[in-house]
Amino acid sequence: MLRPLWKTSIALAGTLAAPFALAACSGSDAATSKFPTWQNTQVNAVSRMAVAGGVVAVTSMRPDGALETVAVGLRDGRRLWAHPATMAGRLPGMGVSAPAIVQTTAGQAMVVALDPAKKGRWNATLIARDARTGAPKWTRPIHSTFGPQRCGPYICLSEHTALAKARMVVLDPATGRQLWHLPGISEVEWSDQGRVVLLRLAANPMVESYEVKTGKLQWQQPIEQALGPGTDMSGGWAFGAAGDDLVGYVAPYTNPQTRKISTFGLFSIRIADGTINWMRPSVVRVYPSGSPGFAPVVRPVDQQGTYGGFARLDPATGRVVGQISATDVPGSGWWLAFPDRMDKLGFLKHGAKGTAFDVTSGRSVPVEEERGWSFCVTDPKPLPLKGQPPGFYSTAALCEYNLATGKRAPSTSVPPPWFTGSQDGWRLWRDEKGALHAVNDQTAPTPGMYG
């Protein structure tokens, strides 16, 4: 049950002296010059960020390899508090777990994360803290878990994940009281104040919707119904909301014994009743690219394992809105690079001239003036985490490149919305050194590349 967050994604596909700074200008990018921005270099963020109640929570790695939960203010990036954090039973391919944060009342929120405190047969402690002060509110002993998640107004937690009695529990964030539970392991893919949509990880994986307060099942949809038999979630998965729909992606997985490739592809489910809207089997998601629910870019793969060209899909209909033919794809040594609007697709060659194509027409365009966003590092090193198995990587950082030269563009532009996403008008991202950055450009709520 691995999710390709960094190393697997790669395979597929001016700093201020002060620790934080708030400014009205983001640099040379005129489009964002009038918007508030901040950066915080006190952290080395290695997980996704979670936002609620005007607070940003993230897992950071200290110089000694220990993890800590850090909370900063959404409006100014100022550090509010930090406490030790850990992982217990999380699989490396899933990336470093992020804290969960839930707003409980107006202006108040709880940050829920895993603390290294052990007691008896328990390997760690789930602890809820006041988002503003860091004051502890309640605890729950943990044997093994993939980490807490927000599910509407509550906390969802798959626990005992390393045991046969694995289950998902739904907790009140204010008190820690258990409201209901499900057997097996589940992951939250979408939620609001009334319902939660879960991916149930089992021999026959399901997408299911529950009334979040009571646990009453509303609908369920087997993933095999959308993509066909032979699904194996070991290759990874990703989901993203597209209006009233949820777009899901299941990556291929090659069974080491049989060498057979599992069923894979993209599909859309109506959140209201679980109806399948459309399906695109036998396509792989490419990286970097937008969320499956916002700007999915894929490559078809035939039964012989041969890759086709590139296609951008409309997440509402699954239809192709632009494509690059297979004959136009360069031979090797390139990385994908997209501009802010994803209206062009660039093949970046580090230190050399690349190529670029108009996504809508599929025609090549001159690269002399083209820039594109691609991974800052193409051969990342695993994090030297203390007390954790090897193989954990930070979430990726994007850098802007000049496609004509293959070199980084000398700018301080803000990464595009299809990568950062947007919450409460703010767009947040980490740079390649782990520092946090934000701009409030009032972008509509948008899922980023990692959800």
Side-chain angles (χ1 to χ4, degrees):
M1 293 161 287
L2 307 182
R3 304 190 67 188
L5 289 181
W6 182 212
K7 187 71 171 183
T8 310
S9 302
I10 287 291
L12 293 172
T15 304
L16 300 181
F20 55 81
L22 182 67
C25 175
S26 66
S28 61
D29 186 1
T32 59
S33 61
K34 63 181 181 294
F35 300 119
T37 70
W38 56 257
Q39 64 175 345
N40 187 319
T41 59
Q42 288 181 315
V43 298
N44 178 16
V46 293
S47 77
R48 305 182 188 192
M49 286 165 268
V51 181
V55 174
V56 181
V58 69
T59 303
S60 175
M61 186 182 74
R62 299 197 311 233
D64 64 357
L67 295 174
E68 60 181 1
T69 302
V70 178
V72 304
L74 178 61
R75 293 180 60 86
D76 56 17
R78 293 179 183 272
R79 178 168 163 146
L80 301 173
W81 53 265
H83 286 284
T86 192
M87 295 181 288
R90 188 171 172 91
L91 305 177
M94 303 178 76
V96 177
S97 59
I101 181 168
V102 180
Q103 185 164 330
T104 51
T105 59
Q108 187 172 27
M110 291 288 183
V111 174
V112 182
L114 213 59
D115 188 281
K118 299 182 180 181
K119 186 176 181 180
R121 63 191 179 96
W122 304 103
N123 297 317
T125 301
L126 189 73
I127 185 165
R129 299 181 183 274
D130 181 277
R132 288 283 174 185
T133 68
K137 297 299 181 179
W138 54 265
T139 62
R140 183 182 182 93
I142 294 295
H143 174 274
S144 49
T145 181
F146 290 166
Q149 293 181 282
R150 176 169 62 182
C151 50
Y154 305 117
I155 293 292
C156 283
L157 177 81
S158 283
E159 60 181 6
H160 309 315
T161 51
L163 304 176
K165 60 178 182 179
R167 64 178 187 171
M168 189 206 76
V169 295
V170 179
L171 308 174
D172 183 329
T175 65
R177 180 174 65 92
Q178 182 177 316
L179 303 176
W180 53 278
H181 73 276
L182 290 172
I185 299 173
S186 302
E187 181 179 85
V188 177
E189 305 303 351
W190 181 91
S191 68
D192 63 10
Q193 293 299 104
R195 76 167 71 206
V196 57
V197 179
L198 303 173
L199 171 63
R200 301 289 304 281
L201 294 163
N204 183 19
M206 298 263 189
V207 181
E208 298 179 346
S209 176
Y210 291 85
E211 186 176 281
V212 72
K213 185 175 182 179
T214 66
K216 179 182 178 182
L217 177 65
Q218 297 173 322
W219 56 258
Q220 60 183 184
Q221 186 65 261
I223 288 181
E224 289 190 348
Q225 190 68 32
L227 297 178
T231 302
D232 189 322
M233 306 302 291
S234 301
W237 62 89
F239 285 80
D244 296 328
D245 304 322
L246 188 66
V247 181
Y249 169 66
V250 177
Y253 174 71
T254 302
N255 186 299
Q257 279 76 42
T258 65
R259 308 306 303 171
K260 289 185 177 180
I261 300 176
S262 63
T263 299
F264 59 97
L266 215 63
F267 62 96
S268 170
I269 289 180
R270 191 183 305 162
I271 293 173
D273 57 15
T275 300
I276 296 174
N277 300 306
W278 56 262
M279 58 196 77
R280 282 274 177 180
S282 302
V283 297
V284 295
R285 181 188 180 198
V286 302
Y287 300 88
S289 66
S291 160
F294 179 63
V297 180
V298 299
R299 293 190 78 178
V301 184
D302 65 21
Q303 294 183 345
Q304 286 71 45
T306 302
Y307 285 85
F310 290 83
R312 179 172 171 179
L313 306 180
D314 179 352
T317 64
R319 294 173 181 166
V320 173
V321 295
Q323 58 185 328
I324 312 301
S325 69
T327 57
D328 289 323
V329 177
S332 62
W334 49 264
W335 297 91
L336 290 181
F338 291 97
D340 286 9
R341 292 185 296 166
M342 294 190 80
D343 55 343
K344 296 181 179 68
L345 185 154
F347 294 99
L348 168 69
K349 292 194 174 184
H350 290 284
K353 185 177 182 179
T355 54
F357 295 84
D358 181 275
V359 171
T360 303
S361 68
R363 296 173 181 172
S364 64
V365 297
V367 296
E368 281 66 27
E369 301 298 326
E370 292 297 330
R371 292 186 177 187
W373 291 88
S374 191
F375 291 119
C376 300
V377 179
T378 55
D379 186 23
K381 302 296 185 289
L383 295 169
L385 297 180
K386 180 185 294 185
Q388 297 293 334
F392 282 96
Y393 293 82
S394 302
T395 54
L398 287 197
C399 291
E400 193 175 25
Y401 289 86
N402 184 327
L403 292 179
T405 63
K407 297 179 180 180
R408 290 193 187 181
S411 75
T412 53
S413 297
V414 176
W418 57 259
F419 174 71
T420 64
S422 179
Q423 300 178 74
D424 299 330
W426 286 90
R427 297 201 289 118
L428 300 155
W429 69 98
R430 66 178 292 276
D431 63 26
E432 59 185 312
K433 295 182 179 179
L436 297 182
H437 298 256
V439 59
N440 184 358
D441 60 5
Q442 295 302 309
T443 298
T446 304
M449 188 173 88
Y450 289 126

